[in-house]
Amino acid sequence: MILFSLSLSAQTHRFIYEYHFKTDSTAAEKRKVSMVLDVNPDEVKFYNYDFVVTDSINKTKGENNIVWDDTPALTRKKNSLVTSNYIMVQNMFIVETTDKINWNLDDETKIIGGYKLQKATAKYGGRNWTAWFTKEISLNEGPYKFNGLPGMIFEIYDDKDNFRFSLVKSYKLYKTYETREILENFGGQKPVKIPESRLKKMLLDHYNDPLHGFKEQYKNNTHPDARFMVMGIEVKSPEQFKELSEMMQKNIKKNNNPIEVDKAIHYN
């Protein structure tokens, strides 16, 4: 059951989505994680709910744990088409994109959680999407970069069944939720803003030599008891690097199924 408690006085309207996705388009099963959409007075933020859990532990126990994964993390000003995408490639970077979605409204409707939802479709990022939104919640927001409909998006999925976002609950926070330690200043590191062209080159360079940084650490290690692990395999000699690099390249190519498939890197 979806319970909404929205108030104009709330500083953050938090929506929790179940995110089902395939990083490998040939996989039989999808992964599932919980994602947060924070609608603040001036901006919107979308990120993994595990960040909230880790942030809470750090604040209550005085710890400095950090967590990151391959799910989307982004921010944008309200009613703006410009998105700041937070991306980890050994270090944290911000890539700004302009994301306009041209929606087609459909007359088809259905009821979920007592809300009347209307169907809408769009082509975006090289995929065909179906969204279900409600005009009963006067926020033109949704998960990831999906927004601009005349109401809140409850559900959206692509026609290949690779990605699905489903709204499961919502609640209000009485002050704007601070994400500086989990996004804007991740692990004490301020992300560097780079263009998409540089990101593509970095990803290609990483694919061509996926153990570059690791090999430097291994070469410069002076501790006799240090252990070095790659994909669960202990590295005991430099001769292993070639085979391990090929394994990592195979894994990168296999898990190359981004939401915006038209931006997928074509690895050779």
Side-chain angles (χ1 to χ4, degrees), residues 4-18:
F4 290 96
S5 178
L6 302 182
S7 167
L8 293 176
S9 64
Q11 293 298 302
T12 295
H13 292 170
R14 173 165 289 173
F15 299 86
I16 308 296
Y17 288 85
E18 274 192 0

Side-chain angles (χ1 to χ4, degrees), residues 75-105:
T75 65
R76 65 173 180 273
K77 297 294 183 182
K78 288 185 73 173
N79 302 315
S80 171
L81 298 177
V82 179
T83 304
S84 293
N85 304 270
Y86 290 76
I87 299 170
M88 179 75 76
V89 186
Q90 297 182 341
N91 294 301
M92 183 68 73
F93 298 93
I94 293 176
V95 176
E96 284 193 348
T97 57
T98 300
D99 306 287
K100 181 175 175 56
I101 302 176
N102 296 312
W103 295 100
N104 298 303
L105 301 186

